[in-house]
Amino acid sequence: MTAETASPEAAAQPVVKIDGITKGFPNRKKGFQRIVAETNVDIQEGEFITIIGPSGCGKSTILKMIAGLEPIDEGAIRLEGEPITAPSRKLGIVFQQHVLLPWMSARQNVVFALETEPGSTRSREELNALADEYLDLVNLTEAADRRPSQLSGGMQQRVGIARAFALEPQVMLLDEPLGALDALTRHELQLQLLRLCEKQRKTFIMVTHDVDEALLLSDRILVMGAGPNAEIIHDITVPFSRPRDVENVEQDSKYHELRSFLLGSLTGH
Ligand SMILES: Nc1ncnc2c1ncn2[C@@H]1O[C@H](COP(=O)(O)OP(=O)(O)O)[C@@H](O)[C@H]1O
Ligand SMILES: [Mg+2]
C-alpha cells in the first residue's frame, strides 16, 4: 500500500517509523563496533522531535539514516510505510554548516535549489517569488540580493533554513542547525525557528545539545545514552501549549523539573 492511499489505516500510521534498526561501523581494533542499539520510534505527522545525547552516541548517524544518506544494518526506517533507502525530496535537511554557493545572492541560492529539483516547471518569476517568500519568513528580505560573504554567520544559516523550507519537504531533519552560532544569534534563531515551525506544522526531527532549545521547540525529546551500542533511554513528552514563547515556556511549572531531568540524564546523574 502506498502513502497516497486514503484509507483510515494510512491516516493512523506514523509518518516516520524507525523499526528495529541497528547500526555499526568497521572498527580497527574490534573489526566492527555497533554504534546504535536496536531502536524503535514512531513519529506522527506534525510532531517536533528532538534527539539529545552525549557526543558520539550516534545522533547524526540516526539522522543520516532517516535522510537516506547512510545505510541501515538491521531493521528499516519507513516514510509513510515505505522503507527509506535513498535521499528523497520528501526529506529536507539542515546541517550545522551550510553550503551556499558563494557567487550567488541569497535569493539565487534558494532559486537554484528550487530549479534543480527534478520535475521543476516553475517560471523564473514564480521561483523568485517563492524564494522571496521563504527569505521573508526568516527576516532576510533586506539581504536577498547579498552574496554569502556579505552576510553574517547567522544570516547564512537563515538562508540555508529558508532554502530547506522552500523545497517544502514533508519531514525536516535538522542536525544541530544552530550549533555554530554565538549565543545571542542562536537565541534569536531559536525564536525564528519556533515561529516558522508553528506556522508550518510539518514533521521535524532535530538534533541539539541545547536542553533549553529542545524544551522550547519540541513536542517530544528522545534522550540517548552514551555509546557505543547507545539506545534511547528516555522518550519525554513536552507538555507546554502552543503557540509558545520563551516567557510562557519558562514560567510553566514543569519547565524547571524537565530541564534538570534532561541536564541530569545528559551528564549521567
Ligand atoms: N562513517 C563512519 N565510519 C566509522 N565510524 C563512524 C562513522 N560515522 C560515525 N562514526 C562513529 O559513530 C559514532 C557516532 O557518531 P555520530 O553519529 O556522529 O555521533 P553524534 O552525532 O551523536 O555526536 C562515533 O563514535 C563516530 O566516530
Ligand atoms: Mg552529530
mmCIF file of all heavy atoms in Angstrom, residues 20-25 27 30 32-39 54-59 61-62 65 73-74 223-233:
data_model
loop_
_atom_site.group_PDB
_atom_site.id
_atom_site.type_symbol
_atom_site.label_atom_id
_atom_site.label_comp_id
_atom_site.label_asym_id
_atom_site.label_seq_id
_atom_site.Cartn_x
_atom_site.Cartn_y
_atom_site.Cartn_z
ATOM 1 N N GLY A 20 13.119 -1.160 14.477
ATOM 2 C CA GLY A 20 14.125 -2.172 14.829
ATOM 3 C C GLY A 20 15.478 -1.974 14.179
ATOM 4 O O GLY A 20 16.157 -2.952 13.866
ATOM 5 N N ILE A 21 15.886 -0.716 14.007
ATOM 6 C CA ILE A 21 17.176 -0.512 13.339
ATOM 7 C C ILE A 21 18.356 -0.714 14.287
ATOM 8 O O ILE A 21 18.262 -0.476 15.497
ATOM 9 C CB ILE A 21 17.305 0.905 12.707
ATOM 10 C CG1 ILE A 21 17.215 2.017 13.763
ATOM 11 C CG2 ILE A 21 16.272 1.106 11.607
ATOM 12 C CD1 ILE A 21 17.810 3.336 13.291
ATOM 13 N N THR A 22 19.469 -1.145 13.716
ATOM 14 C CA THR A 22 20.767 -1.109 14.406
ATOM 15 C C THR A 22 21.779 -0.582 13.406
ATOM 16 O O THR A 22 21.548 -0.612 12.203
ATOM 17 C CB THR A 22 21.240 -2.500 14.881
ATOM 18 O OG1 THR A 22 21.529 -3.310 13.737
ATOM 19 C CG2 THR A 22 20.211 -3.179 15.763
ATOM 20 N N LYS A 23 22.900 -0.091 13.948
ATOM 21 C CA LYS A 23 23.923 0.450 13.047
ATOM 22 C C LYS A 23 25.288 0.366 13.705
ATOM 23 O O LYS A 23 25.452 0.678 14.882
ATOM 24 C CB LYS A 23 23.593 1.916 12.736
ATOM 25 C CG LYS A 23 24.616 2.632 11.880
ATOM 26 C CD LYS A 23 24.608 2.135 10.445
ATOM 27 C CE LYS A 23 25.692 2.809 9.626
ATOM 28 N NZ LYS A 23 25.763 2.250 8.272
ATOM 29 N N GLY A 24 26.264 -0.059 12.946
ATOM 30 C CA GLY A 24 27.636 -0.069 13.429
ATOM 31 C C GLY A 24 28.582 0.328 12.318
ATOM 32 O O GLY A 24 28.148 0.561 11.179
ATOM 33 N N PHE A 25 29.839 0.448 12.669
ATOM 34 C CA PHE A 25 30.851 0.796 11.669
ATOM 35 C C PHE A 25 32.056 -0.127 11.837
ATOM 36 O O PHE A 25 32.315 -0.619 12.936
ATOM 37 C CB PHE A 25 31.316 2.247 11.850
ATOM 38 C CG PHE A 25 30.283 3.268 11.478
ATOM 39 C CD1 PHE A 25 29.642 4.009 12.458
ATOM 40 C CD2 PHE A 25 29.951 3.478 10.144
ATOM 41 C CE1 PHE A 25 28.685 4.961 12.123
ATOM 42 C CE2 PHE A 25 28.999 4.429 9.797
ATOM 43 C CZ PHE A 25 28.369 5.167 10.780
ATOM 44 N N ASN A 27 35.654 -1.142 12.672
ATOM 45 C CA ASN A 27 36.474 -0.578 13.734
ATOM 46 C C ASN A 27 37.831 -1.267 13.691
ATOM 47 O O ASN A 27 37.907 -2.486 13.566
ATOM 48 C CB ASN A 27 35.762 -0.840 15.070
ATOM 49 C CG ASN A 27 36.541 -0.371 16.263
ATOM 50 O OD1 ASN A 27 37.587 -0.931 16.576
ATOM 51 N ND2 ASN A 27 36.033 0.639 16.929
ATOM 52 N N LYS A 30 38.338 -3.671 16.874
ATOM 53 C CA LYS A 30 37.378 -4.758 17.110
ATOM 54 C C LYS A 30 36.805 -5.344 15.823
ATOM 55 O O LYS A 30 35.973 -6.237 15.878
ATOM 56 C CB LYS A 30 36.223 -4.231 17.977
ATOM 57 C CG LYS A 30 36.685 -3.849 19.356
ATOM 58 C CD LYS A 30 35.538 -3.299 20.192
ATOM 59 C CE LYS A 30 36.068 -2.806 21.517
ATOM 60 N NZ LYS A 30 35.400 -1.594 21.972
ATOM 61 N N PHE A 32 34.427 -4.615 14.059
ATOM 62 C CA PHE A 32 33.131 -3.967 13.842
ATOM 63 C C PHE A 32 32.616 -3.523 15.205
ATOM 64 O O PHE A 32 32.743 -4.248 16.182
ATOM 65 C CB PHE A 32 32.154 -4.965 13.218
ATOM 66 C CG PHE A 32 30.774 -4.405 13.030
ATOM 67 C CD1 PHE A 32 30.447 -3.683 11.886
ATOM 68 C CD2 PHE A 32 29.783 -4.586 14.008
ATOM 69 C CE1 PHE A 32 29.177 -3.159 11.709
ATOM 70 C CE2 PHE A 32 28.512 -4.053 13.844
ATOM 71 C CZ PHE A 32 28.205 -3.349 12.695
ATOM 72 N N GLN A 33 32.059 -2.340 15.231
ATOM 73 C CA GLN A 33 31.509 -1.870 16.505
ATOM 74 C C GLN A 33 30.096 -1.361 16.296
ATOM 75 O O GLN A 33 29.864 -0.518 15.426
ATOM 76 C CB GLN A 33 32.379 -0.747 17.057
ATOM 77 C CG GLN A 33 31.915 -0.282 18.422
ATOM 78 C CD GLN A 33 32.918 0.651 19.058
ATOM 79 O OE1 GLN A 33 33.410 1.565 18.404
ATOM 80 N NE2 GLN A 33 33.222 0.425 20.319
ATOM 81 N N ARG A 34 29.185 -1.905 17.097
ATOM 82 C CA ARG A 34 27.818 -1.412 16.981
ATOM 83 C C ARG A 34 27.715 -0.064 17.686
ATOM 84 O O ARG A 34 28.123 0.073 18.843
ATOM 85 C CB ARG A 34 26.833 -2.406 17.590
ATOM 86 C CG ARG A 34 25.415 -2.004 17.254
ATOM 87 C CD ARG A 34 24.414 -2.830 18.011
ATOM 88 N NE ARG A 34 23.980 -3.963 17.214
ATOM 89 C CZ ARG A 34 22.938 -4.720 17.564
ATOM 90 N NH1 ARG A 34 22.275 -4.490 18.670
ATOM 91 N NH2 ARG A 34 22.584 -5.731 16.805
ATOM 92 N N ILE A 35 27.179 0.903 16.974
ATOM 93 C CA ILE A 35 27.063 2.271 17.500
ATOM 94 C C ILE A 35 25.654 2.506 18.043
ATOM 95 O O ILE A 35 25.471 3.015 19.143
ATOM 96 C CB ILE A 35 27.390 3.299 16.376
ATOM 97 C CG1 ILE A 35 28.849 3.150 15.914
ATOM 98 C CG2 ILE A 35 27.084 4.723 16.816
ATOM 99 C CD1 ILE A 35 29.886 3.470 16.962
ATOM 100 N N VAL A 36 24.661 2.117 17.259
ATOM 101 C CA VAL A 36 23.267 2.351 17.660
ATOM 102 C C VAL A 36 22.626 1.002 17.967
ATOM 103 O O VAL A 36 22.576 0.124 17.099
ATOM 104 C CB VAL A 36 22.483 3.081 16.546
ATOM 105 C CG1 VAL A 36 21.032 3.304 16.966
ATOM 106 C CG2 VAL A 36 23.146 4.415 16.193
ATOM 107 N N ALA A 37 22.162 0.829 19.207
ATOM 108 C CA ALA A 37 21.468 -0.400 19.610
ATOM 109 C C ALA A 37 20.084 -0.444 18.951
ATOM 110 O O ALA A 37 19.630 0.567 18.393
ATOM 111 C CB ALA A 37 21.327 -0.432 21.126
ATOM 112 N N GLU A 38 19.411 -1.577 19.053
ATOM 113 C CA GLU A 38 18.108 -1.695 18.396
ATOM 114 C C GLU A 38 17.182 -0.558 18.834
ATOM 115 O O GLU A 38 16.997 -0.310 20.025
ATOM 116 C CB GLU A 38 17.454 -3.035 18.716
ATOM 117 C CG GLU A 38 16.178 -3.190 17.902
ATOM 118 C CD GLU A 38 15.414 -4.473 18.179
ATOM 119 O OE1 GLU A 38 16.050 -5.498 18.501
ATOM 120 O OE2 GLU A 38 14.177 -4.423 18.071
ATOM 121 N N THR A 39 16.652 0.133 17.871
ATOM 122 C CA THR A 39 15.872 1.341 18.143
ATOM 123 C C THR A 39 14.533 1.287 17.422
ATOM 124 O O THR A 39 14.470 0.943 16.242
ATOM 125 C CB THR A 39 16.673 2.588 17.675
ATOM 126 O OG1 THR A 39 17.904 2.639 18.397
ATOM 127 C CG2 THR A 39 15.895 3.882 17.904
ATOM 128 N N PRO A 54 24.837 12.297 24.658
ATOM 129 C CA PRO A 54 26.261 12.632 24.718
ATOM 130 C C PRO A 54 26.909 12.630 23.335
ATOM 131 O O PRO A 54 26.439 11.925 22.437
ATOM 132 C CB PRO A 54 26.859 11.518 25.590
ATOM 133 C CG PRO A 54 25.741 10.737 26.120
ATOM 134 C CD PRO A 54 24.495 11.082 25.403
ATOM 135 N N SER A 55 27.962 13.392 23.215
ATOM 136 C CA SER A 55 28.697 13.475 21.961
ATOM 137 C C SER A 55 29.162 12.080 21.534
ATOM 138 O O SER A 55 29.621 11.293 22.353
ATOM 139 C CB SER A 55 29.886 14.401 22.195
ATOM 140 O OG SER A 55 30.617 14.507 21.027
ATOM 141 N N GLY A 56 28.980 11.763 20.270
ATOM 142 C CA GLY A 56 29.454 10.492 19.734
ATOM 143 C C GLY A 56 28.524 9.310 19.946
ATOM 144 O O GLY A 56 28.866 8.182 19.613
ATOM 145 N N CYS A 57 27.313 9.560 20.493
ATOM 146 C CA CYS A 57 26.424 8.424 20.777
ATOM 147 C C CYS A 57 25.689 7.939 19.521
ATOM 148 O O CYS A 57 25.103 6.865 19.524
ATOM 149 C CB CYS A 57 25.435 8.764 21.893
ATOM 150 S SG CYS A 57 24.191 9.975 21.432
ATOM 151 N N GLY A 58 25.699 8.725 18.464
ATOM 152 C CA GLY A 58 25.073 8.247 17.223
ATOM 153 C C GLY A 58 23.910 9.085 16.730
ATOM 154 O O GLY A 58 23.157 8.650 15.865
ATOM 155 N N LYS A 59 23.763 10.300 17.246
ATOM 156 C CA LYS A 59 22.629 11.155 16.858
ATOM 157 C C LYS A 59 22.670 11.491 15.357
ATOM 158 O O LYS A 59 21.680 11.339 14.654
ATOM 159 C CB LYS A 59 22.631 12.461 17.678
ATOM 160 C CG LYS A 59 22.602 12.241 19.172
ATOM 161 C CD LYS A 59 22.655 13.549 19.952
ATOM 162 C CE LYS A 59 23.928 14.361 19.795
ATOM 163 N NZ LYS A 59 25.153 13.725 20.344
ATOM 164 N N THR A 61 24.300 9.948 13.085
ATOM 165 C CA THR A 61 24.172 8.707 12.322
ATOM 166 C C THR A 61 22.694 8.352 12.140
ATOM 167 O O THR A 61 22.266 7.983 11.035
ATOM 168 C CB THR A 61 24.925 7.571 13.052
ATOM 169 O OG1 THR A 61 26.289 7.968 13.195
ATOM 170 C CG2 THR A 61 24.847 6.268 12.293
ATOM 171 N N ILE A 62 21.903 8.508 13.201
ATOM 172 C CA ILE A 62 20.465 8.211 13.091
ATOM 173 C C ILE A 62 19.813 9.166 12.102
ATOM 174 O O ILE A 62 19.032 8.758 11.224
ATOM 175 C CB ILE A 62 19.780 8.278 14.480
ATOM 176 C CG1 ILE A 62 20.248 7.095 15.344
ATOM 177 C CG2 ILE A 62 18.255 8.286 14.341
ATOM 178 C CD1 ILE A 62 19.669 7.059 16.739
ATOM 179 N N MET A 65 20.616 8.217 8.617
ATOM 180 C CA MET A 65 19.864 7.037 8.172
ATOM 181 C C MET A 65 18.445 7.438 7.783
ATOM 182 O O MET A 65 17.909 6.957 6.783
ATOM 183 C CB MET A 65 19.857 5.961 9.262
ATOM 184 C CG MET A 65 21.218 5.297 9.453
ATOM 185 S SD MET A 65 21.144 3.816 10.500
ATOM 186 C CE MET A 65 21.017 4.528 12.128
ATOM 187 N N ASP A 73 21.950 -1.197 9.137
ATOM 188 C CA ASP A 73 22.392 -2.592 9.227
ATOM 189 C C ASP A 73 21.211 -3.554 9.323
ATOM 190 O O ASP A 73 21.079 -4.480 8.547
ATOM 191 C CB ASP A 73 23.299 -2.780 10.447
ATOM 192 C CG ASP A 73 24.640 -2.078 10.269
ATOM 193 O OD1 ASP A 73 24.945 -1.653 9.131
ATOM 194 O OD2 ASP A 73 25.372 -1.932 11.265
ATOM 195 N N GLU A 74 20.371 -3.345 10.326
ATOM 196 C CA GLU A 74 19.206 -4.218 10.513
ATOM 197 C C GLU A 74 17.985 -3.333 10.660
ATOM 198 O O GLU A 74 18.105 -2.191 11.090
ATOM 199 C CB GLU A 74 19.344 -5.037 11.810
ATOM 200 C CG GLU A 74 20.516 -5.968 11.828
ATOM 201 C CD GLU A 74 20.677 -6.594 13.229
ATOM 202 O OE1 GLU A 74 21.259 -5.940 14.106
ATOM 203 O OE2 GLU A 74 20.195 -7.729 13.406
ATOM 204 N N VAL A 223 16.033 11.032 24.546
ATOM 205 C CA VAL A 223 17.354 11.145 25.166
ATOM 206 C C VAL A 223 18.112 9.854 24.906
ATOM 207 O O VAL A 223 17.636 8.775 25.251
ATOM 208 C CB VAL A 223 17.250 11.375 26.688
ATOM 209 C CG1 VAL A 223 18.629 11.574 27.302
ATOM 210 C CG2 VAL A 223 16.338 12.555 26.997
ATOM 211 N N MET A 224 19.279 9.983 24.287
ATOM 212 C CA MET A 224 20.101 8.795 24.041
ATOM 213 C C MET A 224 21.140 8.634 25.140
ATOM 214 O O MET A 224 21.659 9.619 25.671
ATOM 215 C CB MET A 224 20.809 8.896 22.689
ATOM 216 C CG MET A 224 19.841 8.794 21.524
ATOM 217 S SD MET A 224 20.697 8.822 19.930
ATOM 218 C CE MET A 224 21.500 7.209 19.944
ATOM 219 N N GLY A 225 21.450 7.394 25.476
ATOM 220 C CA GLY A 225 22.508 7.112 26.436
ATOM 221 C C GLY A 225 23.859 7.166 25.739
ATOM 222 O O GLY A 225 23.942 7.382 24.532
ATOM 223 N N ALA A 226 24.913 6.961 26.529
ATOM 224 C CA ALA A 226 26.258 7.005 25.959
ATOM 225 C C ALA A 226 26.495 5.785 25.072
ATOM 226 O O ALA A 226 25.925 4.724 25.290
ATOM 227 C CB ALA A 226 27.283 7.050 27.081
ATOM 228 N N GLY A 227 27.340 5.954 24.069
ATOM 229 C CA GLY A 227 27.694 4.874 23.176
ATOM 230 C C GLY A 227 28.946 4.184 23.660
ATOM 231 O O GLY A 227 29.515 4.594 24.668
ATOM 232 N N PRO A 228 29.443 3.146 23.015
ATOM 233 C CA PRO A 228 28.835 2.525 21.844
ATOM 234 C C PRO A 228 27.606 1.702 22.209
ATOM 235 O O PRO A 228 27.324 1.505 23.381
ATOM 236 C CB PRO A 228 29.957 1.643 21.301
ATOM 237 C CG PRO A 228 30.818 1.338 22.487
ATOM 238 C CD PRO A 228 30.722 2.533 23.381
ATOM 239 N N ASN A 229 26.923 1.215 21.171
ATOM 240 C CA ASN A 229 25.678 0.462 21.344
ATOM 241 C C ASN A 229 24.668 1.298 22.128
ATOM 242 O O ASN A 229 24.010 0.810 23.055
ATOM 243 C CB ASN A 229 25.955 -0.870 22.034
ATOM 244 C CG ASN A 229 24.904 -1.910 21.699
ATOM 245 O OD1 ASN A 229 24.228 -1.811 20.662
ATOM 246 N ND2 ASN A 229 24.732 -2.885 22.555
ATOM 247 N N ALA A 230 24.555 2.576 21.779
ATOM 248 C CA ALA A 230 23.691 3.509 22.504
ATOM 249 C C ALA A 230 22.227 3.234 22.201
ATOM 250 O O ALA A 230 21.868 2.807 21.107
ATOM 251 C CB ALA A 230 24.045 4.932 22.092
ATOM 252 N N GLU A 231 21.394 3.501 23.204
ATOM 253 C CA GLU A 231 19.957 3.368 22.982
ATOM 254 C C GLU A 231 19.231 4.608 23.491
ATOM 255 O O GLU A 231 19.806 5.418 24.222
ATOM 256 C CB GLU A 231 19.418 2.101 23.645
ATOM 257 C CG GLU A 231 19.822 1.944 25.086
ATOM 258 C CD GLU A 231 19.442 0.562 25.630
ATOM 259 O OE1 GLU A 231 18.862 -0.236 24.878
ATOM 260 O OE2 GLU A 231 19.726 0.326 26.801
ATOM 261 N N ILE A 232 17.980 4.700 23.108
ATOM 262 C CA ILE A 232 17.156 5.806 23.609
ATOM 263 C C ILE A 232 16.740 5.437 25.026
ATOM 264 O O ILE A 232 16.075 4.417 25.240
ATOM 265 C CB ILE A 232 15.935 6.036 22.694
ATOM 266 C CG1 ILE A 232 16.421 6.542 21.327
ATOM 267 C CG2 ILE A 232 14.959 7.020 23.333
ATOM 268 C CD1 ILE A 232 15.358 6.594 20.268
ATOM 269 N N ILE A 233 17.174 6.239 25.988
ATOM 270 C CA ILE A 233 16.900 5.887 27.383
ATOM 271 C C ILE A 233 15.668 6.610 27.930
ATOM 272 O O ILE A 233 15.103 6.175 28.916
ATOM 273 C CB ILE A 233 18.137 6.119 28.290
ATOM 274 C CG1 ILE A 233 18.678 7.552 28.141
ATOM 275 C CG2 ILE A 233 19.228 5.111 27.985
ATOM 276 C CD1 ILE A 233 19.773 7.904 29.151
#
